[in-house]
Amino acid sequence: MAPKAIIAPSILSADFAQLGADCARTMDQGADWLHVDIMDGHFVPNITFGAPVVAKIRKHVDRPAEKHGRGTFDCHMMIAEPKKWVREFQKAGCDLYCFHYEAAFSSAAESPEAKTTDARTNPKDLVRYIHDCGLLAGVALKPMTGVDVLTELLESPDPKERPDMILIMTVEPGFGGQKFMASELPKVQALRKKYPDLNIEVDGGLGPGTIDQAADAGANVIVAGSAVFGAQDPAEVISLLRSSVEKASAQL
Ligand SMILES: O=C(CO)[C@H](O)[C@H](O)COP(=O)(O)O
Ligand SMILES: [Fe+2]
């Protein structure tokens, strides 16, 4: 049995002119978490918003009392310099800081400190730093990146270096409303087989037509933007996504 089903609507598809109200509404419609897409125009070819906006929307959604609890702000950091923004986002009300493995790796390679032993320029030390800042840590993989890169993190003897969640992208990051890439699901399957208790999130193109494949592969944290915010009845879509994960999880 996989960890509990968590439905995290992506507010990328909300109305940015009334984000607070849209976030509060999606929570009332049954969402567990809010998936907050941060894009910087460098790591991805699109820009969304930064920490000041997150701080404003935080006022509309209660902070979870527990780790992974209802109202978790799951910040998907599609940014070139993930280590630089951890503190700002923690202060703004982020609960889970999910950085891209590819960004941490390349910012380490490009950084002038790369030749030194700066503790925060590689994925393992970035996970530790996020934990030291009091946040949950997530690591996201783009479609071209294989899951083998995660072994060192997930099997670290030090719990501070182990991520709380892995995000497998099922579209190229940057835009909502793209077509689901089923080709990414073997990555989910491989992780679930090896780590039965791991929170595995999928993001991109998820909705009523694709959820069963993702749930059967072992994903338990489901991001859905256009499928929720574009629905006639968002509560019904959230409930359908949850049932699919719960059904698949009982059979794992
Ligand atoms: O990270 C993202 C894009 O980079 C979004 O979270 C994702 O695409 C959600 O949108 P949709 O469900 O419409 O595909
Ligand atoms: Fe996302």
Side-chain angles (χ1 to χ4, degrees), residues 35 37 76 78 169 203 223:
H35 182 83
D37 287 303
H76 177 193
M78 288 165 273
M169 288 303 296
D203 181 11
V223 176

Side-chain angles (χ1 to χ4, degrees), residues 3-111:
K4 71 171 182 160
I6 293 171
I7 309 304
S10 160
I11 63 172
L12 188 60
S13 296
D15 179 348
F16 279 16
Q18 46 179 358
L19 261 184
D22 272 17
C23 291
R25 189 179 317 112
T26 196
M27 292 306 301
D28 290 345
Q29 287 162 342
D32 299 292
W33 294 1
L34 281 186
H35 182 83
V36 182
D37 287 303
I38 308 297
M39 305 185 187
D40 67 353
H42 292 280
F43 183 70
V44 288
N46 198 5
I47 296 176
T48 53
F49 49 78
V53 174
V54 174
K56 290 289 182 195
I57 55 178
R58 180 82 264 179
K59 294 183 199 300
H60 295 259
V61 179
D62 289 337
R63 196 129 198 206
E66 295 165 20
K67 207 165 107 153
H68 304 130
R70 214 166 159 268
T72 292
F73 271 26
D74 163 30
C75 294
H76 177 193
M77 308 304 294
M78 288 165 273
I79 61 174
E81 293 188 87
K83 72 171 182 182
K84 188 170 162 184
W85 296 99
V86 180
R87 284 269 177 221
E88 285 298 312
F89 276 77
Q90 182 263 327
K91 283 189 237 150
C94 162
D95 304 295
L96 192 162
Y97 190 94
C98 183
F99 67 89
H100 267 269
Y101 182 89
E102 303 86 356
F105 199 71
S106 60
S107 62
E110 285 159 18
S111 143

